[in-house]
Amino acid sequence: MNFALVTGGSRGLGAAICKRLASQGLGIIINYHSNETAAQEVAETIRDKGGVADLLPFDVSNEQSVDSALGKWEEAHPSDRITVLVNNAGIREDSLMIFMQAEQWHKVISTTLDGFFYVTRRVLKGMLTKRHGRIINIASLSGLKGLPGQANYSAAKAALIGATKALAQEVAPRKVTVNAVAPGFIRSDMTKDLDEDSLKKTVPLGRFGEAEEVAALVAFLASDDSAYITGETISINGGLL
């Protein structure tokens, strides 16, 4: 069976992506770091609809944790393979640069960038061997235009976009595509502390997006219909420039 691995898949965008990819017939590997209850709820929702869902806890920013967890999954699934990887795990630790602590900087950078590197490197070999794969990196509007108070988050997501472009060129000959999705203001756990009423006035479409709308775009990029799209960063932000 073909599986999709979604990092940070227990809540928000990740949960919506897991459910949408499951509806396309993929088995789902739900990665989470600590919230097992939320991950289990996502898995049960998928299974209730006849889908296949595995829970796989590991810290994306820890190389040994990544290799150990994925190694055990591969041993338990010798006839299955991961054909879709969604690098969704990320955190925000917003602060003006003058007040930002070193821990806030490193934690945000490590989760997004080290997580992308460790997980993608581990999964990529199988995709290249089978000459098929889809890698979708969840970036952000913040990584495209920068947002005040998010120097760490903007840096992490901008670097992820650069890595997307580079990796896409490396693996294209093996029929593996690599794209990024850059959401704007999406209603989720990540944005629940934002002032939605004032911020939505800056959005030409006049509202925050829904997690399911982002999941639909990810599902397209994971499908065969997107086979000639690679190295791209696709914004989904209601018209924000």
Side-chain angles (χ1 to χ4, degrees), residues 24 28 35 37 39 53 55 92 99 109 133 139 168 186 195 204 211 214 220:
Q24 295 190 176
I28 306 298
N35 197 334
T37 299
L55 300 185
R92 279 178 46 220
F99 302 120
I109 296 292
I186 306 297
D195 185 351
V214 178
F220 167 70

Side-chain angles (χ1 to χ4, degrees), residues 74-86:
E74 289 168 351
E75 289 177 7
H77 296 78
S79 61
D80 299 321
R81 66 189 192 93
I82 297 171
T83 59
V84 175
L85 169 61
V86 182

Side-chain angles (χ1 to χ4, degrees), residues 13-14 87-97 100-113 137-162 181-186 188-191 193-194 214:
L13 288 182
N87 286 303
N88 170 71
I91 59 171
R92 279 178 46 220
E93 292 278 353
D94 293 357
S95 176
L96 295 176
M97 176 69 84
M100 186 175 291
Q101 302 300 305
E103 182 182 1
Q104 291 176 294
W105 174 268
H106 290 298
K107 191 174 181 181
V108 170
I109 296 292
S110 181
T111 301
T112 293
L113 287 185
N137 300 318
I138 305 302
S140 171
L141 172 70
S142 185
L144 290 171
K145 69 187 296 291
L147 292 174
Q150 290 191 342
N152 49 1
Y153 191 70
S154 293
K157 294 301 187 179
L160 183 62
I161 290 169
V181 170
F185 296 121
I186 306 297
S188 71
D189 291 341
M190 186 76 81
T191 60
D193 60 330
L194 301 180
V214 178

